Amino acid sequence: MSGIGPVEPGEGTTMRGPADVDVIGPETGAPRLSDRWAALPRSRRRATVSVACATVLAALAGYAAATRPAPPEPPPPPWPAQATRFEYEGPGRDTPDRATRTFTLRFTVSVTEGPPVTVREIRLSSESVTTVAAPATPFTVEAGSEVRIVLRFHVRDCRGVPRKVVLAFLDVTLRNTRAIQQESYIIGGDYPDDLFTALRTSCENSSQVAQKHAPELGILSM
């Protein structure tokens, strides 16, 4: 007998229909993710949401910090000479001493801004006149404050005394956290006249009074 027809199962075998086919993947009726979420206790759902939100916020904060532009560098402190002021207050209590050729003048030193300034030296730029400050140098002046000082001048050589003072200077050495500076301050007001008068008075009994300009005094004379 020959022909084509359905194949008959052999002994020990069974036929499987469509309902017997193996299913790969979730079976029909398996619980979905939304169902599992709904099945969680409310406290656990809240904790999970909190952790997720915290993770997102941390990631956003890290990104913002990484992309934020760096803040600008703070400006450097001012140069000490820019922040320091010298003002003349007048002659000292003692009149010029002709015997010792000494006299005193009073000043105020102030610092307007920035870090403290240390005054390391104050003098006239002359080998003929020595200068001693009270309080003694070095001393420090805080920003926004002032220090009253007395300068005692001693004329060592009257040949350096000019005939007339037009501009008078003080040579100072200043220091703050930025730099050390040597600066010549022009002191106005009555300082030139008082300085000239004291110099001349100190040297009245000397025959060595200068008859011409003395540049080493650091003053402009006539």
Side-chain angles (χ1 to χ4, degrees):
M1 180 173 166
S2 64
I4 299 175
V7 178
E8 303 241 354
E11 292 184 7
T13 64
T14 59
M15 293 293 292
R16 302 177 64 183
D20 297 326
V21 176
D22 293 333
V23 178
I24 301 175
E27 297 182 0
T28 304
R32 293 174 297 177
L33 181 60
S34 59
D35 296 333
R36 294 177 180 177
W37 175 257
L40 292 174
R42 180 176 298 178
S43 59
R44 187 170 181 180
R45 291 202 302 267
R46 289 179 178 175
T48 303
V49 171
S50 299
V51 171
C53 291
T55 302
V56 172
L57 290 176
L60 292 175
Y63 175 78
T67 57
R68 184 185 301 117
E73 292 290 333
W79 297 97
Q82 292 177 334
T84 307
R85 301 289 182 268
F86 282 81
E87 295 184 8
Y88 178 61
E89 298 292 338
R93 293 182 179 180
D94 53 337
T95 58
D97 188 336
R98 295 179 179 87
T100 59
R101 293 189 298 208
T102 60
F103 58 93
T104 57
L105 302 175
R106 297 177 293 109
F107 299 83
T108 297
V109 186
S110 60
V111 174
T112 58
E113 60 179 331
V117 174
T118 298
V119 181
R120 304 183 68 177
E121 185 179 22
I122 309 175
R123 64 185 181 90
L124 290 178
S125 56
S126 171
E127 295 182 357
S128 301
V129 181
T130 60
T131 309
V132 177
T137 55
F139 59 86
T140 300
V141 185
E142 301 286 340
S145 65
E146 64 182 22
V147 174
R148 297 183 181 275
I149 64 172
V150 175
L151 297 184
R152 179 174 294 276
F153 299 88
H154 170 60
V155 182
R156 298 176 57 189
D157 187 353
C158 287
R159 289 174 296 184
V161 176
R163 291 177 296 172
K164 178 62 178 178
V165 174
V166 177
L167 294 177
F169 303 86
L170 277 181
D171 290 344
V172 300
T173 302
L174 306 172
R175 178 179 183 176
N176 67 1
T177 55
R178 181 171 184 177
I180 298 176
Q181 279 186 291
Q182 293 181 341
E183 188 75 10
S184 291
Y185 283 87
I186 299 177
I187 310 298
D190 295 329
Y191 174 63
D193 290 336
D194 289 350
L195 175 62
F196 169 73
T197 300
L199 289 171
R200 297 289 291 188
T201 303
S202 298
C203 292
E204 278 183 354
N205 296 332
S206 173
S207 60
Q208 299 177 338
V209 177
Q211 298 299 320
K212 60 181 179 178
H213 170 54
E216 75 276 7
L217 262 181
I219 55 182
L220 180 61
S221 63
M222 297 178 61

